[in-house]
Structures are given as structure tokens and as C-alpha cells.
């Protein structure tokens, strides 16, 4: 719980200062913000508890078993492939690709972020 409070505290402090400086809120809005912050804290505490109890021990056990096996060198290319497809599926990277094409007026293809080769520029 302490880790969650320490991680949410700076965000809540900046939000509170911003609200006090701008003073753009209605009568019931501070109560709604406190309820939202409480929901956030409860959700993060439950999430962290689930990760620490369920996923971390299984991940440690699986990782140590794979690293001790005879095929440990095959983990490197498998990890590279998994990482590539995770990044390829990330929506933020897709948005970045579109922004690269827009900013460069089509001179750079957004897909070039995934292809590790030099693309000839079109002028």
C-alpha cells in the first residue's frame, strides 16, 4: 500500500495545485475528485497485490527453468520476435508512424520505424 500511495501522491499533488490555481470547478467536483482518487488507490492496490501474489512467483519460476535448460540460447531470438510483435501491436507506435509520415510530408514512411534498413528519400 505504501508504494501505491507514494506513486500516486505526486500526481495528486500536481492535480490539487492545478485545481487551486485555476479554480475552475463546481461545488460537488472536489468530492468527485476525492472519490476518483480513492477508486484509483483501491484499484492500484488490488492490481499490485495480484501481480505480487500471482504473476511474479510464476514468472520467476518459469524464467529460471527456461534459463537453466539446454535451449537457453534460443531464448534470445524468441525474445526479439516477441518484442517486435508487441511493439508492432502497440497503438501508440501506430500513432507515431502516422505522425512521422505527416511531419515529413510523406518523405519518410512510418513503417520504416519497423524496418531496420535505410529507405531512399523521395524529394
Amino acid at each position: 500500500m505504501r508504494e501505491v500511495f507514494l506513486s500516486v501522491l505526486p500526481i495528486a499533488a500536481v492535480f490539487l495545485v492545478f485545481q487551486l490555481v485555476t479554480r475552475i470547478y463546481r461545488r460537488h467536483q472536489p468530492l468527485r475528485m476525492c472519490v476518483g482518487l480513492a477508486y484509483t488507490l483501491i484499484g492500484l492496490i488490488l492490481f499490485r497485490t495480484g501481480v505480487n501474489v500471482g504473476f511474479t512467483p510464476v514468472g520467476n519460476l518459469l524464467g529460471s527453468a527456461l534459463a537453466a535448460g539446454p535451449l537457453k540460447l534460443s531464448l534470445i531470438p524468441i525474445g526479439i520476435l516477441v518484442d517486435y510483435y508487441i511493439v508492432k501491436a502497440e497503438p501508440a507506435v501506430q500513432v507515431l508512424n502516422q505522425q512521422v509520415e505527416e511531419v515529413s510530408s510523406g518523405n519518410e514512411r512510418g513503417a520504416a520505424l519497423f524496418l531496420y534498413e535505410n529507405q531512399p528519400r523521395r524529394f
Side-chain angles (χ1 to χ4, degrees):
M1 283 179 45
R2 184 172 183 252
E3 291 176 4
V4 171
F5 284 119
L6 289 176
S7 64
V8 173
L9 186 63
I11 296 169
V14 168
F15 187 69
L16 178 67
V17 168
F18 178 74
Q19 287 296 320
L20 291 175
V21 168
T22 59
R23 294 182 189 214
I24 302 174
Y25 50 87
R26 295 187 183 97
R27 194 163 111 183
H28 296 290
Q29 194 156 350
L31 178 63
R32 289 180 181 175
M33 290 186 291
C34 290
V35 169
L37 183 61
Y39 283 153
T40 302
L41 289 172
I42 291 169
L44 283 173
I45 289 170
L46 291 174
F47 175 76
R48 293 273 304 170
T49 302
V51 167
N52 289 337
V53 171
F55 290 117
T56 302
V58 171
N60 286 335
L61 181 66
L62 184 63
S64 61
L66 285 173
L71 300 174
K72 59 184 159 190
L73 287 179
S74 65
L75 293 177
I76 295 172
I78 291 171
I80 290 171
L81 281 174
V82 168
D83 185 48
Y84 173 79
Y85 285 109
I86 287 172
V87 170
K88 185 91 169 154
E90 175 65 35
V93 176
Q94 302 299 328
V95 171
L96 178 65
N97 285 343
Q98 291 174 348
Q99 289 178 345
V100 165
E101 288 184 14
E102 288 174 9
V103 169
S104 66
S105 299
N107 290 329
E108 292 294 330
R109 294 182 334 142
L113 294 173
F114 294 114
L115 307 171
Y116 299 100
E117 59 188 49
N118 293 327
Q119 298 286 331
R121 292 185 182 228
R122 294 173 276 155
F123 291 103

